[in-house]
Amino acid sequence: MERPILKSPDEIEQMREANRIVARALKLMAEMVAPGVSTLELDQAAEELITKAGAIPAFKGYPGASERVPPFPATICASINEEVVHGIPAADRILQEGDIVSIDVGAEINGFFGDAAKTFGVGSISKKAAKLLEVTEHSLMKAITTMKPGSTMRRLAHSVQTTAEEAGFSVVRQFVGHGIGRQMHEPPQVPNYVPSFGFGEGYEFETGAVLAVEPMVNIGGSAVRVLKDGWTVITKDRTLSAHFEHSIAVTENGPLILTEI
Ligand code: MG
């Protein structure tokens, strides 16, 4: 079973800065998202905020899944509607009234990483889309409450999955959350569903674990595929998908959300 690299209280304190910068960038995104805005404009604004804060955009230059896939070229991932995660910002990707857009931000400072994501409605959105956003965010926030020493990965994954499925939605299985610290992706994997076989209780949370929990929830089926650009993940049935993520430290007093301002 994968275990996290545990952080001391002092290291967790040091991790706050990267995570606060990520939270500030997401707040800026919330203010900017509107019909007519391109995802490239969002990317440039996020990059400016991160670099002015003295931090480094964590996704830019991230290696692709194979040699044929170029490194990720941008500061944010911006994934519109049926796009699940890892959408590449572009000048010709203009947000339209009624769209939803998932924005994922990562930053590094003081040798530590921060990572968070949120899905925003563009102008007024359909009731179904609004429910998807509400349920996905709730699936994250409810799961976070389980992150106490002695609780288990199974309990967290079960919490995310049941919140999404009880609302009639499905969770993406192909992509998962992760430990975070001196690297953006550390062990263990943090699934948003309970695998059918051989999972057991999974990792038992300890004080000092820091995990990025990131449910991706689809209105339709859970299947996804990657587009030819090697990055953009979409739902196979082209239904809407939402993504919410926080980086959270497990402390003796319970979960501490680092990606809040
Ligand atoms: Mg992440």
Side-chain angles (χ1 to χ4, degrees):
M1 184 182 56
E2 283 188 315
R3 309 182 70 87
I5 301 160
L6 298 179
K7 278 82 185 176
S8 69
D10 185 53
E11 287 173 315
I12 289 170
E13 199 50 42
Q14 287 180 57
M15 285 190 72
R16 278 174 172 263
E17 194 172 357
N19 284 285
R20 274 205 196 100
I21 292 166
V22 165
R24 279 173 48 209
L26 277 174
K27 185 165 176 265
L28 175 64
M29 299 296 97
E31 290 159 11
M32 285 184 69
V33 164
V37 174
S38 76
T39 55
L40 186 66
E41 286 172 72
L42 297 173
D43 183 64
Q44 288 167 342
E47 180 163 334
E48 193 183 324
L49 185 148
I50 290 168
T51 53
K52 275 193 174 163
I56 302 164
F59 301 160
K60 210 172 193 177
Y62 199 88
S66 78
E67 278 173 17
R68 278 168 297 162
V69 178
F72 194 77
T75 291
I76 64 168
C77 301
S79 311
I80 302 172
N81 295 335
E82 76 279 8
E83 296 171 353
V84 179
V85 286
H86 306 164
I88 300 172
D92 63 358
R93 298 303 306 276
I94 314 280
L95 300 177
Q96 313 283 338
E97 178 95 21
D99 283 347
I100 61 171
V101 59
S102 301
I103 299 178
D104 199 339
V105 182
E108 180 193 0
I109 191 167
N110 302 335
F112 285 103
F113 284 85
D115 189 6
K118 249 183 191 149
T119 303
F120 304 101
V122 181
S124 76
I125 59 174
S126 71
K127 266 192 185 158
K128 192 92 191 245
K131 190 181 174 202
L132 175 69
L133 268 52
E134 189 190 306
V135 167
T136 309
E137 185 165 27
H138 181 58
S139 76
L140 170 62
M141 300 315 288
K142 195 175 168 198
I144 289 172
T145 65
T146 71
M147 297 175 70
K148 297 168 185 161
S151 186
T152 63
M153 194 68 89
R154 184 190 188 90
R155 209 175 290 171
L156 182 150
H158 181 262
S159 175
V160 173
Q161 184 175 12
T162 50
T163 305
E165 291 181 354
E166 278 169 8
F169 301 141
S170 67
V171 292
V172 171
R173 294 163 183 237
Q174 229 168 297
F175 294 88
V176 295
H178 49 93
I180 184 166
R182 292 189 188 276
Q183 296 191 60
M184 193 167 63
H185 295 116
E186 295 184 353
Q189 295 196 347
V190 183
N192 297 304
Y193 69 103
V194 179
S196 312
F197 299 103
F199 189 71
E201 285 301 315
Y203 168 65
E204 184 176 313
F205 296 140
E206 304 155 277
T207 297
V210 184
L211 305 175
V213 181
E214 48 180 320
M216 290 147 257
V217 177
N218 303 340
I219 280 184
S222 62
V224 298
R225 69 183 185 88
V226 180
L227 294 184
K228 281 206 177 74
D229 64 20
W231 284 105
T232 313
V233 178
I234 65 165
T235 54
K236 231 172 196 170
D237 59 14
R238 305 272 176 155
T239 56
L240 296 180
S241 184
H243 180 212
F244 284 80
E245 175 180 25
H246 273 306
S247 297
I248 304 113
V250 177
T251 77
E252 55 191 11
N253 301 318
L256 173 65
I257 300 176
L258 300 176
T259 31
E260 281 181 340
I261 294 171

